[in-house]
Amino acid sequence: MGFSFKPWLLSVMGATMMAVQPAAAQETLRIGAPLPLTGPLSPEGLKQQRGYDLWAETVNGKGGIEVDGTTYNVEIVYVDYESNTPRAVQTAERLITNDKVNFLFAPFGSGAAKAASSVAERYQIPMIAATASSSSVYDQGYKYLFGTFTPNQTLTAPLTNIVADSGQGVKTVAIYARNDLFPLAIANEMKASAEGRDLEVVSFAEYAIGTMDHASALTLMLQSQPDWVFITGYINDLILMRRQMADLGIKPKVLTMIAGPAYKEFIDATGPLSQNVTSAAWWHPAVSYKGEDLFGSTANYVKAFEDKYGATPDYAEASASAAGAILQLAIDDAGSIDPTAVRDALAAMDTVTFYGNVRFDETGQIDSLEPPVFQIQDGSTKTIYPEAVKQGEMRYSDIQ
C-alpha cells in the first residue's frame, strides 16, 4: 500500500525541502509549499507535489513568467511538516519570514489549510489551497486565501439525487467519518443531503485519526442493515476499512467512500473489493475544457502528466497543477508580483483553465465548478455525473 515514487529531499535548516531547479533567468519567483511528505497523510502530500512540479517545470520549460520586462523562473520550496498540523503552521510562517517566498500553496486538507491561512493573512501573502473544501476554511473573513475546491455539498447533493432517484429501494444510510475537519464536514453534508431526499440516516459514527481497527464500529453499522454506507477519510483509512468491511460481510446496495477511490492506488490496493465503490471529486480526466492557462486544455494537461509520470492524473494532482496555473494567470493579469496586486487579480478572476471554470466567491472559495460523480467499474473509474462527461450508468448491489 502506498506509492512507489519517492520525494527528492533536501535538508535545510532542519526542515525537509525541495526546489524545482530553474534554468538561468533574470529573476526567481519562489513559492512556499508546506506538505505532509511523511506520516499518514504522505500519499496525499506526494500527489500534490507531483501536481506542483508539473506546473513549475512546464512554466520554466516555456521560458518562465514575464512581468513588465522581467522574466521569472519558478522555484517551489517544499517543507515536510510530517502530517502534523501545528508544524504546518510553523513552516508556513518560516517560509515567509526566513525563506522569503513570494506566495504560498496551502498545506494539505481543510484542517491544515485553515490553520495556516492565518499566517498568510497576517503577512498579506496570497495563499492558494489546492485541497480544502470545507466552508469553515473560508468563512473567516480573510482576503488572501483562495481555494480550488467547491463546498462539500456540491459532492454529496448530486450523488444523493442519483441514488434517491434510482428506483433501487435505497431508504437508509449509515455514515462513518474520520474525526478531522474535511472528512467530518463532508459527512455532515451527506447527512443533510440524505435527509433532504427523505433517506433515513440510521447511524452516524466517528473514528479517531490513526484508528487501525474499525471492527467494532463496522459491526454496529452492520446491525442496522443500511442500504447505503457512506464513509469518509483519507486513502490509507479507506483501504484499511474496505478490507475490514469485506471481512465482516458488510455488503450494502451502495458503498460510497470519499476521497480515496479517486486514486488509482485505492484500486490497486483493494483489487476486486473496489468494484462498484462510488465517490465524487472536484475533477476527473474525463472532463474537457479549453483553457487560458499554460496547458491550454484538459487533454493537453492529461498528456503532459502521463508523459512525465506514466500515470493518469487524479483530482488531487490536477488541483495542485491548477493552483499554479491560476496563480500564473493572476500574475499575468496584475502585471506584477506585488502580493496585493496579485490578490486583487485572484479576487477578480473569471476565466477557464484545463481544470474548469475559475471564479471565486467573496470568501475566496471557487464557486464555478460542477464536480463529477464516479464509480469504480471493472478496475477503473467511470463518471456517472454530470451528463456532459458521463461515461456509464451507476451499478448497484454488487459489493464484494
Side-chain angles (χ1 to χ4, degrees), residues 325-378:
I326 290 166
L327 176 61
Q328 182 180 0
L329 288 172
I331 292 170
D332 289 342
D333 290 345
S336 170
I337 62 168
D338 173 73
T340 301
V342 173
R343 179 265 160 209
D344 291 346
L346 285 165
M349 186 169 289
D350 189 353
T351 190
V352 181
T353 70
F354 80 89
Y355 183 71
N357 299 315
V358 177
R359 183 184 63 245
F360 300 103
D361 68 16
E362 66 277 4
T363 72
Q365 186 167 21
I366 198 169
D367 66 358
S368 48
L369 296 176
E370 190 172 27
V373 176
F374 60 88
Q375 185 176 47
I376 299 172
Q377 298 179 0
D378 305 320

Side-chain angles (χ1 to χ4, degrees), residues 155 158-160 162-163 190 227-232 238 242 252-262 266 273-281 372-377 380-385 393-399:
L155 274 64
L159 183 57
T160 302
I162 291 169
V163 174
M190 178 61 207
D227 299 317
W228 185 0
V229 172
F230 185 94
I231 298 177
T232 72
L238 301 181
R242 183 65 194 95
K253 291 180 179 179
V254 181
L255 173 58
T256 300
M257 305 182 104
I258 292 180
F266 178 88
L273 298 180
S274 67
Q275 177 75 349
N276 288 358
V277 174
T278 53
S279 193
V373 176
F374 60 88
Q375 185 176 47
I376 299 172
Q377 298 179 0
S380 64
T381 59
K382 304 292 184 184
T383 52
I384 56 178
Y385 173 91
E393 300 295 334
M394 186 163 167
R395 299 175 183 176
Y396 297 84
S397 302
D398 190 22
I399 305 299

Side-chain angles (χ1 to χ4, degrees), residues 108-111 113 129-138 147-155 181-183 185-186 189 234 258 282 315 365-366:
F108 171 78
S110 292
T131 53
S133 62
S134 299
S135 297
S136 62
V137 178
Y138 303 94
T148 56
F149 282 179
T150 53
N152 292 325
Q153 65 268 24
T154 62
L155 274 64
L181 199 158
F182 162 69
I186 201 163
E189 288 295 347
Y234 296 116
I258 292 180
W282 290 268
Y315 77 93
Q365 186 167 21
I366 198 169

Side-chain angles (χ1 to χ4, degrees), residues 105-165:
F105 292 141
F108 171 78
S110 292
K114 181 175 182 177
S117 63
S118 62
V119 175
E121 192 72 14
R122 185 165 70 253
Y123 289 97
Q124 297 189 342
I125 297 293
M127 183 172 81
I128 300 181
T131 53
S133 62
S134 299
S135 297
S136 62
V137 178
Y138 303 94
D139 64 4
Q140 305 174 87
Y142 289 167
K143 300 299 183 183
Y144 285 80
L145 173 66
F146 297 87
T148 56
F149 282 179
T150 53
N152 292 325
Q153 65 268 24
T154 62
L155 274 64
T156 60
L159 183 57
T160 302
N161 290 337
I162 291 169
V163 174
D165 294 337

Side-chain angles (χ1 to χ4, degrees), residues 188-270:
N188 281 308
E189 288 295 347
M190 178 61 207
K191 183 175 184 292
S193 294
E195 291 173 345
R197 291 304 311 269
D198 296 325
L199 300 178
E200 181 185 0
V201 179
V202 292
S203 68
F204 189 115
E206 301 171 19
Y207 64 94
I209 298 170
T211 298
M212 298 302 293
D213 187 355
H214 300 273
S216 296
L218 293 174
T219 298
L220 287 174
M221 178 191 294
L222 181 60
Q223 292 175 359
S224 66
Q225 296 184 319
D227 299 317
W228 185 0
V229 172
F230 185 94
I231 298 177
T232 72
Y234 296 116
I235 186 168
N236 288 334
D237 302 321
L238 301 181
I239 289 171
L240 174 64
M241 222 173 301
R242 183 65 194 95
R243 291 169 175 167
Q244 292 183 356
M245 287 183 68
D247 292 341
L248 293 167
I250 300 176
K251 298 182 179 182
K253 291 180 179 179
V254 181
L255 173 58
T256 300
M257 305 182 104
I258 292 180
Y263 306 154
K264 183 177 184 297
E265 291 80 9
F266 178 88
I267 299 173
D268 292 343
T270 58

Side-chain angles (χ1 to χ4, degrees), residues 255-311:
L255 173 58
T256 300
M257 305 182 104
I258 292 180
Y263 306 154
K264 183 177 184 297
E265 291 80 9
F266 178 88
I267 299 173
D268 292 343
T270 58
L273 298 180
S274 67
Q275 177 75 349
N276 288 358
V277 174
T278 53
S279 193
W282 290 268
W283 182 89
H284 190 279
V287 303
S288 180
Y289 295 100
K290 298 290 186 181
E292 299 298 321
D293 61 294
L294 78 168
F295 293 106
S297 70
T298 306
N300 288 347
Y301 174 75
V302 172
K303 183 178 186 305
F305 192 97
E306 290 175 341
D307 288 346
K308 179 172 175 56
Y309 296 114

